[in-house]
Amino acid sequence: MTLFERLTKKAQEHPQRLVLPESTEPRTLMAAEQIIEKKAANVIFVGKKEEILKEAANLGLSRIGEAEFIDCDDPKSTDKYAELFYELRKSKGVTLQDAKYTVKNPLYLGCLLIKNGDADAMVAGALSPTSSVLRAAFQVLKTKPGISVVSGAFIMLLPENVNFGENHMLVFADCAVIPDPSAEELAQIAIATAKTTKDIAGLDPVVAMLSFSTKGSASHPKVDKVKEALEIAHKLDPSLKLDGELQSDAAIVPSVGKLKAPDSEVAGKANTLIFPSLETGNIAYKLVQRLAGAGAVGPILQGLAAPVNDLSRGATVEDIVNTIIVTCNQAIGDKGL
């Protein structure tokens, strides 16, 4: 069973309420049709039902009417969410009138549905820039307890002849959001990524904090940051199998790990790699993708209080379907199912 076959099966077993705020976008509608057919989520569209159904009909889609619809221009539907946004943001100077205007924005209304317990997760970005998606999520949902940063992970699906990680998978982070994380932020990224490894990759996380040094083989402030992050991460989750600082070969090659860090339970066995900066993580995932012919699932946003994932504006229908499936599995993991 492939990763997405397994994730789809789990989504079908535990259907989540999934908000799609870009409700008349053709690729999003085509993806939603597949999700509804698979019974992989209970879809909620934000927008005018008549307009959504008209666009669906133009695309030859027949299942969109089975979704739930909420009109962001209908005060009967949105007033309670305006009041919620006002309570959340009044300390920032937001008035109730401001809040009533804000809920007309589908991205904000989608997040408010989640905040109010009326939805579980959201996928957007086919039309909206990343900054707009994240701004709504930050202002409404904020981050998980103990986590102050949002980061982006990639699940690297390695070819059958590449025997690193576990089940031909490695999880990389942060590859998408934080350019130069502090030690505290790096520790939080490690904790959040371990959860992604468990909830999405389906693996027991074995986490390596990467550096250009292994166990003191080099001395530099950048190495010290990784060491400090390791200490903080251990305090945040003492049960997590995590070690550092490790060079990448020491992290994933058993013979090198045994040689360079013989007392480590992680060295040579890592399936989750935490990079010391965004540039290293981004460069690494793209190189592995191109040179090894690996699949790259992501970026999977992690650290938010509820799952919200951002699409590339060039996303295909398949990309959107896969992102929805991943996002639903994040919500399932948050519920401990």
Side-chain angles (χ1 to χ4, degrees):
M1 187 179 291
T2 68
L3 173 66
F4 277 103
E5 286 172 344
R6 178 176 58 76
L7 293 177
T8 300
K9 184 174 184 292
K10 192 168 185 179
Q12 291 168 329
E13 291 170 349
H14 306 282
Q16 300 298 293
R17 299 165 297 172
L18 188 280
V19 182
L20 296 174
E22 297 165 328
S23 54
T24 58
E25 200 284 317
R27 292 163 297 163
T28 300
L29 282 168
M30 288 187 277
E33 178 92 351
Q34 292 186 34
I35 292 295
I36 293 168
E37 286 177 349
K38 296 174 189 287
K39 298 183 179 179
N42 297 317
V43 174
I44 304 169
F45 287 111
V46 177
K48 295 187 181 301
K49 183 176 181 179
E50 318 80 65
E51 294 178 2
I52 298 166
L53 292 178
K54 182 179 179 180
E55 182 62 28
N58 290 339
L59 294 167
L61 306 177
S62 61
R63 306 292 294 272
I64 297 301
E66 298 173 30
E68 183 180 343
F69 302 83
I70 180 165
D71 185 348
C72 49
D73 289 323
D74 180 5
K76 291 180 181 178
S77 299
T78 61
D79 274 355
K80 66 178 179 180
Y81 300 111
E83 291 170 8
L84 174 58
F85 188 70
Y86 167 67
E87 290 298 326
L88 291 170
R89 302 292 294 176
K90 63 183 180 182
S91 64
K92 303 292 186 181
V94 171
T95 67
L96 184 55
Q97 193 60 37
D98 294 332
K100 288 181 177 180
Y101 176 78
T102 299
V103 296
K104 293 179 181 292
N105 182 323
L107 296 175
Y108 277 86
L109 185 54
C111 289
L112 286 160
L113 283 164
I114 298 171
K115 185 71 173 180
N116 201 54
D118 299 324
D120 301 303
M122 184 174 87
V123 170
L127 289 176
S128 308
T130 297
S131 58
S132 296
V133 176
L134 289 181
R135 188 179 303 112
F138 279 133
Q139 290 188 7
V140 175
L141 298 171
K142 306 188 186 306
T143 52
K144 293 183 184 295
I147 302 291
S148 63
V149 295
V150 172
S151 55
F154 279 85
I155 298 176
M156 306 304 298
L157 305 177
L158 305 174
E160 288 295 318
N161 63 335
V162 178
N163 295 310
F164 298 117
E166 188 174 346
N167 294 342
H168 301 284
M169 286 188 281
L170 286 166
V171 183
F172 288 8
D174 173 23
C175 305
V177 183
I178 308 296
D180 187 19
S182 66
E184 174 69 36
E185 289 171 333
L186 200 56
Q188 292 180 22
I189 290 168
I191 300 301
T193 308
K195 189 173 187 337
T196 296
T197 298
K198 182 176 181 180
D199 293 346
I200 308 303
L203 307 175
D204 290 329
V206 182
V207 185
M209 308 289 287
L210 298 184
S211 178
F212 58 85
S213 168
T214 295
K215 297 297 184 180
S217 65
S219 178
H220 192 275
K222 290 185 180 294
V223 176
D224 294 338
K225 182 180 78 168
V226 176
K227 290 179 178 179
E228 183 182 353
L230 178 70
E231 293 179 8
I232 296 168
H234 275 311
K235 291 176 183 176
L236 290 172
D237 186 355
S239 68
L240 186 60
K241 191 176 289 187
L242 178 147
D243 202 5
E245 84 283 12
L246 295 170
Q247 292 163 290
S248 55
D249 58 351
I252 65 171
V253 181
S255 59
V256 178
K258 187 175 181 180
L259 177 67
K260 292 187 174 183
D263 298 325
S264 173
E265 64 175 353
V266 169
K269 305 170 188 173
N271 56 28
T272 305
L273 306 183
I274 307 303
F275 292 85
S277 67
L278 176 58
E279 61 187 350
T280 55
N282 191 273
I283 290 167
Y285 104 77
K286 288 180 183 291
L287 282 175
V288 171
Q289 183 182 31
R290 299 300 178 182
L291 297 180
V297 178
I300 300 167
L301 293 182
Q302 48 189 27
L304 287 166
V308 172
N309 272 309
D310 174 54
L311 299 163
S312 162
R313 277 176 278 177
T316 65
V317 173
E318 182 182 9
D319 292 335
I320 298 173
V321 170
N322 289 345
T323 300
I324 289 171
I325 293 295
V326 165
T327 306
C328 288
N329 274 266
Q330 286 180 288
I332 292 166
D334 284 350
K335 294 176 181 178
L337 298 174

